[in-house]
Amino acid sequence: MASTLPLRALTLRQLQCFSVLVEEGQFGRAARRLSITQPALSNAIKQMEKLLGAELLTRSTHRLALTPVGAEVLARTDYLVNTFEVALRDIESTVQRGRAFVRIGVIPSASARVAAAVAAFVGGGAPHGIEFAWRDAPSNVLLAEVRSGQLDLAVAAITEPPGGLACVDLFRDPLVLVVRRDHPLAAAGGTDWEAIGGERLVLFESGSMPALGDPARAQFAQGSEPYRVGYSETLYALVRGGLALGLMPRLYTSSLRDDELVVLPLTRPDVERRIVLVYLPGPMRNVASQALIAHLRQALLP
């Protein structure tokens, strides 16, 4: 136990200095942001390294770099700093407005389901006076922000278990094919990977699609390299123009209302992504977050 005592002398201000310095990458900018002098910032980092008994940063004339120990410390520092700042905002919200604050992350394709579930929560006996903040972003961003304490919970898509987080499976979201209504495949009402082997595809360039679509496409596709786009509007436009067939998770098509396009099940093999509810294990910040998680665990199941 005695070996941990020096760490008890670490201050929140020192942790904030370290976090901001790494984010800014330069002492001058970090000091201005923290409203302190550069010597004061340098001294805070030196004191932190002395208390930890390890070098956190390597310094040169033009750049700062994290040491391996520094990288590990940073992840925990960011969590502590973010959690403290969020807790202060929670307290302010409760004192000034009498409301609890819950921060929700959601992938855009699941936003309709999550919003409907939250609306039912609000109208069905939720703790009085809840205020929500919404964050829509790719799954990797949401997972990182839950880990760092910036979000209370998130609904995300994963292909493998997210380390360090409590994870509740909600449902599976299969890949589907979007084609023009006059395409020969549309009349069949469904298709498989082998049947689209000679077709040009268009798919999302980020998110879970590279991990899901590329292995199956590589196994069966003999055609051209697919187009890769960032937004569903672009994907639909390429399909509508007859330039490609759209490969995407089914959730994205739930709001598709286009008489020119048809959504087809895609089988052999069935390729799915896992839609999960994630949050940090252990005590939550407030009762409202706990109640919402309990509600979503049930409301978002198939």
Side-chain angles (χ1 to χ4, degrees):
M1 179 66 70
S3 63
T4 67
L5 289 177
L7 293 180
R8 304 292 181 182
L10 277 172
T11 67
L12 178 64
R13 187 57 169 170
Q14 288 169 335
L15 298 176
Q16 289 172 325
C17 287
F18 178 52
S19 180
V20 171
L21 177 58
V22 174
E23 186 174 338
E24 294 292 344
Q26 199 262 349
F27 273 89
R29 290 195 300 268
R32 287 192 294 273
R33 180 170 156 188
L34 290 161
S35 299
I36 60 176
T37 64
Q38 288 190 49
L41 174 58
S42 179
N43 184 61
I45 301 301
K46 289 177 181 177
Q47 287 297 315
M48 189 173 172
E49 290 178 322
K50 181 178 179 181
L51 290 169
L52 290 169
E55 188 179 44
L56 302 176
L57 297 162
T58 57
R59 304 159 175 84
S60 66
T61 305
H62 300 292
R63 63 189 294 270
L64 295 171
L66 285 167
T67 65
V69 171
E72 290 294 326
V73 172
L74 178 65
R76 290 151 181 81
T77 296
D78 283 346
Y79 171 72
L80 290 171
V81 170
N82 288 331
T83 301
F84 177 77
E85 291 178 351
V86 166
L88 286 182
R89 290 197 293 269
D90 282 350
I91 293 170
E92 180 184 34
S93 177
T94 300
V95 171
Q96 294 185 355
R97 297 193 291 274
R99 297 186 173 193
F101 212 69
V102 180
R103 293 164 179 81
I104 306 170
V106 61
I107 51 173
S109 57
S111 58
R113 287 198 188 190
V114 175
V118 171
F121 173 71
V122 171
H128 177 70
I130 299 181
E131 189 169 331
F132 298 99
W134 292 85
R135 168 77 158 136
D136 56 341
S139 292
N140 62 325
V141 174
L142 298 179
L143 296 177
E145 293 185 0
V146 172
R147 288 191 185 98
S148 69
Q150 295 169 269
L151 294 173
D152 295 308
L153 58 111
V155 174
I158 63 171
T159 55
E160 55 188 39
L165 297 176
C167 180
V168 179
D169 273 281
L170 298 174
F171 55 91
R172 300 300 175 102
D173 186 24
L175 297 190
V176 296
L177 200 67
V178 181
V179 304
R180 281 171 49 124
R181 188 168 295 278
D182 59 1
H183 192 281
L185 289 174
T191 188
D192 58 41
W193 287 87
E194 189 170 2
I196 63 172
E199 299 277 0
R200 185 74 173 261
L201 299 177
V202 54
L203 57 144
F204 294 131
E205 61 187 350
S206 60
S208 56
M209 280 306 301
L212 289 174
D214 285 348
R217 191 191 64 80
Q219 181 178 355
F220 294 105
Q222 304 298 322
S224 305
E225 178 68 16
Y227 297 121
R228 300 180 188 271
V229 299
Y231 298 96
S232 56
E233 291 87 348
T234 308
L235 185 148
Y236 293 143
L238 294 180
V239 176
R240 200 179 295 113
L243 299 173
L245 306 185
L247 179 65
M248 65 197 312
R250 185 173 61 190
L251 268 181
Y252 279 92
T253 68
S254 59
S255 60
L256 177 61
R257 303 290 183 270
D258 191 321
D259 292 338
E260 294 183 56
L261 302 180
V262 176
V263 179
L264 302 177
L266 185 56
T267 59
R268 293 196 301 242
D270 295 313
V271 180
E272 302 171 316
R273 60 178 185 166
R274 293 167 58 192
I275 306 300
V276 297
L277 172 66
V278 294
Y279 52 92
L280 279 171
M284 297 296 295
R285 284 206 322 272
N286 53 48
V287 173
S289 297
Q290 296 175 25
L292 179 58
I293 285 174
H295 173 80
L296 293 179
R297 290 178 67 134
Q298 298 300 318
L300 293 175
L301 291 174

